[in-house]
Amino acid sequence: MSAMRAGWGMRLGAVLPAVVLWLAGCSDTSRLNMYVDSIKGVDGTNVGKSYIEADIVGGPVNYCLPIQDQASVTVKLEQPGTVGPTLSGYVTGYRIDYYYYHPENGSLQGPVTWMSSDQAVAHQPVSTSVVFTVPVVTFEVKAWAVGLACPGIPVHQGVANIQRVLARVTVLAEDATGKKLSAQGSITVYLNDYAPARLAGDTCVVMTAPAYWSAVTNCK
């Protein structure tokens, strides 16, 4: 597994500059520099990792209970030079866009526009850095990956399940004078059933992923 991930990382490095990062900062008006320092997992065995292994059926605590896998986003603010605006501002929101690796040819596809999400944040202060948590692997992402349609989300049309997703997080902010800032970072998600073996008494133990998600009301 580790050797395979190293290969994926090399491919990501070749793809991201052209496909993923070109939007960062294109609408900034502030002289301050803001950047995403890290995006790391926070749930179960993903704590502190720069990627997420997401359980399709169940989660790391309750093997039948669906969860949304989260990530912590660390944003840093810098001032160019010694003269300029005050080094402070507010995070005002974020956007998550999803790309996926085609299960048949390995090409990076996306964004999957109907799964993109925008979230406003109530002006979270940032001076030199701030950390906040975002839901990266939602119920909708998990259900879509195994070929199911949640309400408002079309079913994935491929014949094979999606096993690898790239979540791009765009952070929006304002400096102390109200001028706009933005920054982007990405985290890779491996979609599989990584939890330890479910107990024989669990009702979900005999369910396949499609059957499991069909039994969960509205993919929640």
Side-chain angles (χ1 to χ4, degrees):
M1 180 70 78
S2 60
M4 187 176 298
R5 282 187 185 140
W8 289 343
M10 292 174 64
R11 290 178 58 191
L12 279 176
V15 172
L16 286 182
V19 178
V20 177
L21 301 180
W22 66 273
L23 289 175
C26 63
S27 61
D28 291 1
T29 56
S30 173
R31 292 186 65 251
L32 298 179
N33 298 321
M34 185 178 74
Y35 63 95
V36 173
D37 186 59
S38 67
I39 303 179
K40 296 183 177 181
V42 298
D43 298 306
T45 58
N46 292 315
V47 173
K49 293 181 179 178
S50 57
Y51 58 87
I52 291 176
E53 292 178 323
D55 292 298
I56 293 295
V57 175
V61 177
N62 185 320
Y63 306 135
C64 285
L65 180 68
I67 68 166
Q68 297 188 98
D69 296 85
Q70 302 179 100
S72 64
V73 181
T74 301
V75 177
K76 292 192 174 182
L77 200 61
E78 292 181 345
Q79 181 169 301
T82 57
V83 178
T86 303
L87 187 61
S88 65
Y90 301 92
V91 173
T92 58
Y94 64 85
R95 176 181 176 86
I96 304 179
D97 292 296
Y98 296 95
Y99 296 76
Y100 69 98
Y101 287 87
H102 197 288
E104 296 170 26
N105 60 33
S107 62
L108 185 63
Q109 307 285 325
V112 185
T113 54
W114 51 85
M115 286 199 301
S116 297
S117 62
D118 294 279
Q119 180 65 50
V121 175
H123 277 66
Q124 185 165 356
V126 52
S127 53
T128 56
S129 67
V130 67
V131 180
F132 58 97
T133 301
V134 299
V136 174
V137 197
T138 63
F139 305 130
E140 289 82 359
V141 169
K142 294 182 179 185
W144 179 82
V146 296
L148 296 177
C150 292
I153 298 179
V155 66
H156 170 58
Q157 298 297 324
V159 296
N161 292 348
I162 302 299
Q163 295 183 320
R164 206 162 29 119
V165 169
L166 186 74
R168 183 187 70 197
V169 181
T170 302
V171 181
L172 305 175
E174 297 177 356
D175 66 20
T177 66
K179 293 184 177 179
K180 305 297 182 182
L181 288 158
S182 64
Q184 285 185 345
S186 300
I187 187 167
T188 302
V189 177
Y190 300 97
L191 294 160
N192 209 318
D193 191 24
Y194 291 99
R198 293 181 292 280
L199 300 176
D202 291 339
T203 57
C204 64
V205 72
V206 297
M207 288 187 176
T208 62
Y212 173 80
W213 281 103
S214 295
V216 179
T217 304
N218 292 326
C219 297
K220 302 296 185 186

